[in-house]
Amino acid sequence: MAEISMTVNGRKVTGTVEDRTLLVHFLRENLGLTGTHVGCDTSQCGACVVHLDGKAVKSCTMLAAQASGSEVTTIEGLAQGAELHPVQAAFREHHGLQCGFCTPGMIMAAVDMINRHPEGLDEKTVRAELEGNLCRCTGYHNIVKAVLAAAEAMGGKAVKAA
Amino acid sequence: MHQTTYHRASSISEAVKMLKEAEDGKFVAGGQTLIPTMKQRLAAPSDLIDLRHIGELKGIEVAGNTVKIGAGTTHAEVARDAALAKACPALCHLAAHIGDPHVRHMGTLGGSIANNDPAADYPAAVLALAATVHTNKREIAADDFFVDLFETALEDDEIVTAISFAVPEKAGYAKFPNPASRYALTGVFVAKHADGVRAAVTGAGENGVFRAEAIEKALVGAFEASALDGTTVPADGLMSDIHASAEYRANLIVVMAKRAVQAANGG
């Protein structure tokens, strides 16, 4: 068993888990943060994307023990109280979802993408940057629209994730 | 995933010691191949020795005509390094197109070449750039490093610490990604050096990455895409699978080589 500790959404957490426990399972099962989804479980769909020390990663593709000592932000850590994060607000406004299963990963990927492109985003870049996130409902059109709108709302400048 | 025991090394010597003490241990860098492989139970190391927190494996140095990249440097870091973008933009381009943004935040250069996936991008660059692979034990020429599918010259307790290479006069990389997996169905890295041209092919060879002599020969006289008109590459030794026949890949090698030369010449 591994003794692990990390900061999740600003809160220090500790746990004892099997060494083979994936980060996504630690978040969902030990911490009850079920906003992060397991979609394909084969490292392709991006539904499990969280931020690890400020960078988007697939939480199904790393052990919880690998993340020990890090800062993790999940979809639950974005909103400030009742006020949605600009990317969440843009997904609602532009209907960037249908069933919603991929949405947590899409939003975490979008926040990361906007942070990495302080110069602003265009449609081509957004589509290329969404390479690691699959959506089987929307055809991506409104997701791209939402990301572009959020990037603009965030001033085209780097904004901290949470 | 089968049971495993996780260890975090803070130095290369500690990592080697941890591996020696393990029954059937394996080093893990970014884990973007190894963790999915373990999840599928295709690999089941008794112990995992995490190299991600070893400071001496990280960083990119461009000094004069020489580039040295630490094995623990992630694809994302290689992709956006300003000094490397001036010295060898083709390598930044290659790194920027591995997997997806999330994979690039974790995956490392050392992990990629040590794994030597026959469809990985980095092996083509390392071979075409005539890079030197530095390990905790020795220096290995790229020509001697890649041995076979998922096989390198590395010994069990040997860790890639860095690669280094002389800045080429020109270099370019082009790949045809598999529409589903996005792995290179065929990728070609071309580099024009002071003493000749090297072209390395990934995604196509039955034994992994290899140098395409016909391409190199055709480009020696004129480093132009048109110099490859009429050049053919034999289909012998190329992979045939549900995605592409060996003959199709042979043709793709020439097409990708042309695009790589175009990119090397400024698009």
Side-chain angles (χ1 to χ4, degrees):
Chain A
M1 300 295 274
E3 301 289 331
I4 59 170
S5 63
M6 61 187 83
T7 305
V8 179
N9 300 332
R11 190 166 62 95
K12 281 208 181 322
V13 299
T14 58
T16 306
V17 296
E18 284 188 336
D19 293 44
R20 63 179 171 174
T21 304
L22 297 170
L23 176 59
V24 69
H25 292 140
F26 178 67
L27 295 171
R28 289 176 57 85
E29 289 161 23
N30 293 59
L31 304 182
L33 296 171
T34 53
T36 303
H37 290 169
V38 178
C40 66
D41 212 16
T42 53
S43 311
Q44 299 173 77
C45 80
C48 68
V49 169
V50 300
H51 294 183
L52 181 85
D53 296 323
K55 291 173 191 158
V57 299
K58 292 176 182 172
S59 63
C60 85
T61 310
M62 75 185 299
L63 304 178
Q66 283 176 284
S68 188
S70 289
E71 284 193 24
V72 176
T73 305
T74 71
I75 188 71
E76 289 93 342
L78 286 186
Q80 302 281 346
E83 193 189 328
L84 292 180
H85 184 280
V87 176
Q88 292 174 307
F91 269 67
R92 183 170 69 177
E93 174 67 24
H94 296 276
H95 199 58
L97 63 146
Q98 285 179 31
C99 86
F101 194 85
C102 72
T103 312
M106 283 286 175
I107 288 179
M108 297 313 287
V111 172
D112 172 72
M113 179 196 315
I114 293 168
N115 286 343
R116 281 185 291 106
H117 290 89
E119 74 284 3
L121 285 165
D122 57 26
E123 184 187 335
K124 196 177 161 216
T125 309
V126 173
R127 288 187 184 274
E129 290 273 351
L130 286 177
E131 176 81 47
N133 294 80
L134 300 182
C135 172
R136 301 290 80 175
C137 304
T138 64
Y140 301 97
H141 192 72
N142 285 354
I143 292 174
V144 174
K145 226 156 95 179
V147 177
L148 287 170
E152 210 179 312
M154 290 162 75
K157 285 180 190 148
V159 176
K160 276 220 113 178
Chain B
M1 192 186 298
H2 288 289
Q3 293 286 2
T4 189
T5 302
Y6 173 85
H7 309 267
R8 184 176 293 185
S10 52
S11 68
I12 292 167
S13 54
E14 191 188 13
V16 171
K17 188 168 165 277
M18 285 169 165
L19 191 86
K20 276 194 181 133
E21 287 167 2
E23 189 194 327
D24 179 24
K26 209 159 175 58
F27 297 122
V28 61
Q32 300 301 286
T33 300
L34 183 54
I35 300 290
T37 308
M38 288 173 67
K39 285 169 68 177
Q40 292 179 69
R41 297 190 171 184
L42 296 172
S46 65
D47 296 74
L48 274 183
I49 292 103
D50 191 351
L51 307 177
R52 197 164 70 91
H53 300 268
I54 302 178
E56 56 196 309
L57 293 179
K58 293 179 200 290
I60 301 172
E61 274 174 41
V62 181
N65 198 37
T66 306
V67 176
K68 190 168 186 185
I69 305 176
T73 311
T74 64
H75 310 327
E77 288 162 348
V78 171
R80 65 162 182 260
D81 189 83
L84 185 62
K86 280 189 188 150
C88 188
L91 198 57
C92 300
H93 169 85
L94 176 148
H97 291 83
I98 298 173
D100 58 53
H102 325 314
V103 167
R104 295 195 287 271
H105 281 147
M106 289 295 294
T108 68
L109 182 144
S112 171
I113 65 169
N115 188 49
N116 194 19
D117 187 301
D121 298 292
Y122 266 129
V126 169
L127 193 54
L129 290 167
T132 301
V133 179
H134 302 255
T135 78
N136 55 326
K137 297 185 174 186
R138 57 188 164 146
E139 293 181 358
I140 309 170
D143 286 317
D144 303 323
F145 182 79
F146 301 103
V147 174
D148 207 336
L149 296 184
F150 299 104
E151 196 186 328
T152 66
L154 290 172
E155 292 163 21
D156 283 346
D157 61 345
E158 193 168 13
I159 299 172
V160 178
T161 56
I163 65 151
S164 65
F165 58 90
V167 173
E169 288 175 14
K170 287 176 179 179
Y173 180 63
K175 69 171 163 180
F176 186 85
N178 178 312
S181 76
R182 302 294 194 196
Y183 271 96
L185 201 58
T186 289
V188 179
F189 198 104
V190 293
K192 184 174 188 290
H193 303 276
D195 57 354
V197 173
R198 288 169 70 102
V201 180
T202 190
E206 274 180 331
N207 304 317
V209 68
F210 67 95
R211 286 173 66 186
E213 282 167 30
I215 303 283
E216 294 180 352
K217 240 184 188 164
L219 290 172
V220 165
F223 194 74
E224 298 288 341
S226 59
L228 293 168
D229 287 343
T231 300
T232 55
V233 171
D236 302 341
L238 299 187
M239 282 190 277
S240 265
D241 54 29
I242 58 166
H243 306 296
S245 64
E247 291 74 22
Y248 186 77
R249 281 188 164 92
N251 187 62
L252 266 183
I253 290 171
V254 180
V255 176
M256 290 303 118
K258 283 184 178 179
R259 290 186 192 172
V261 172
Q262 267 163 1
N265 287 332

